[in-house]
Amino acid sequence: MAKLSVNLNKIALLRNSRHTGVPDVAHFARLAHEAGAHGLTVHPRPDERHIRRTDVFMLDRLMRPWRPEFEFNIEGYPDPRFMDLIAEVRPEQCTLVPDAPGAFTSDEGWKLGPDQMGLARTAIQQLKAQGSRAILFVDPNPDIVSRVIDAGAEGIELYTGGYAQAVREGRQAELLAACGETCAKARAAGLAVNVGHDLNLDNLPPLVAAMPGLAEASIGHELTADALVLGWAEAIRRYAAALAG
Ligand SMILES: CC(=O)[C@@H](O)[C@H](O)COP(=O)(O)O
Ligand SMILES: NCC(=O)COP(=O)(O)O
């Protein structure tokens, strides 16, 4: 059964639009835990447009009684600022993304060519030494699996933004197959397989069906939008159920 990690970025984004602390990220973290999420994901970007460094330390303290079963997944680019934060917090999982500092969002995975492999390998070595599961954010392409192994990662997160766009356009068959093939190859190699980006209650079920052995989906943007209608707890229950298959 695939697990749901709720991404709190958009709660923090709304919070940052005023100086009142509303909505309270800690409150929505507690509600997510109570509603049956399996973990929380945050992406403390360099510009702190949403999740701030202080949020990460607050969530580390808040989640401690619930961990390690309820996992903390921290995403980010492995620059010194980020790696120092991870060394302090030591989350159960760290998902490395190749985002430039001012990236609009995470919209592509690591290619792990000569220009990226050294950085990835070094960061992964540090993560593993610290006890954080090292995950690489990659595009749905079976050819990337051998390079992920070469980098020493323990798993992948498939970038599903392209798949979500294909679903909107009714042309998802090719990307769904690519996700399934990449998942099967990664699982055969002993890698954990996660998914994330623009997943929602419509595009999730066929993806789950196409990816036997899927471990986790980290979902924030569309879940938060759905919560404006359904409520936060009900939205989380529905996404967790969709992942349970
Ligand atoms: C890696 C990924 O797809 C998301 O986890 C990412 O956190 C989205 O970032 P924004 O919420 O800043 O768009
Ligand atoms: N890794 C994906 C994630 O954490 C949330 O992505 P999104 O659902 O906000 O697009």
Side-chain angles (χ1 to χ4, degrees):
M1 182 186 87
K3 297 182 177 181
L4 172 65
S5 184
V6 174
N7 186 306
L8 295 170
N9 289 359
K10 300 302 162 21
I11 301 295
L13 186 70
L14 184 58
R15 187 264 328 264
N16 291 357
S17 61
R18 286 285 170 88
H19 300 298
T20 61
V22 175
D24 177 13
V25 172
H27 180 57
F28 283 80
R30 287 191 196 93
L31 290 176
H33 179 250
E34 291 164 9
H38 301 96
L40 296 175
T41 292
V42 294
H43 191 153
R45 293 185 178 274
D47 61 12
E48 294 200 325
R49 66 189 74 166
H50 40 57
I51 291 292
R52 297 166 173 158
R53 181 181 172 83
T54 51
D55 292 316
V56 176
F57 291 119
M58 176 277 292
L59 289 167
D60 177 33
R61 291 190 301 274
L62 176 70
M63 294 169 70
R64 204 153 292 163
W66 310 333
R67 292 159 67 186
E69 295 73 21
F70 186 82
E71 293 197 345
F72 198 9
N73 175 40
I74 303 179
E75 301 179 326
Y77 181 84
D79 60 22
R81 167 203 63 90
F82 180 77
M83 295 307 289
D84 288 348
L85 178 62
I86 297 300
E88 282 195 66
V89 174
R90 303 198 178 209
E92 284 68 40
Q93 179 171 275
C94 179
T95 303
L96 299 178
V97 300
D99 290 5
F104 178 68
T105 186
S106 305
D107 58 7
E108 66 174 322
W110 293 94
K111 305 303 182 286
L112 296 175
D115 59 326
Q116 291 185 338
M117 185 61 87
L119 175 66
R121 276 202 186 113
T122 302
I124 289 165
Q125 284 171 353
Q126 179 181 333
L127 294 177
K128 291 164 79 170
Q130 293 168 180
S132 293
R133 186 183 313 118
I135 302 291
L136 288 178
F137 189 65
V138 297
D139 300 315
N141 179 346
D143 294 342
I144 198 68
V145 172
S146 60
R147 294 198 289 277
V148 168
I149 294 167
D150 190 25
E154 295 161 284
I156 58 175
E157 175 179 331
L158 291 187
Y159 166 60
T160 52
Y163 162 69
Q165 180 61 27
V167 170
R168 285 190 287 270
E169 298 171 0
R171 53 173 183 83
Q172 66 272 20
E174 182 181 344
L175 271 168
L176 200 55
C179 289
E181 290 162 18
T182 308
C183 180
K185 189 169 183 182
R187 292 296 299 129
L191 295 173
V193 178
N194 300 337
V195 288
H197 206 90
D198 283 340
L199 293 175
N200 60 36
L201 292 172
D202 295 326
N203 62 34
L204 203 49
L207 190 67
V208 172
M211 297 179 69
L214 175 65
E216 174 187 286
S218 43
I219 306 174
H221 190 88
E222 295 256 5
L223 185 155
T224 305
D226 285 338
L228 296 175
V229 177
L230 301 169
W232 183 247
E234 178 59 20
I236 287 168
R237 282 191 287 270
R238 293 196 190 189
Y239 275 82
L243 279 164

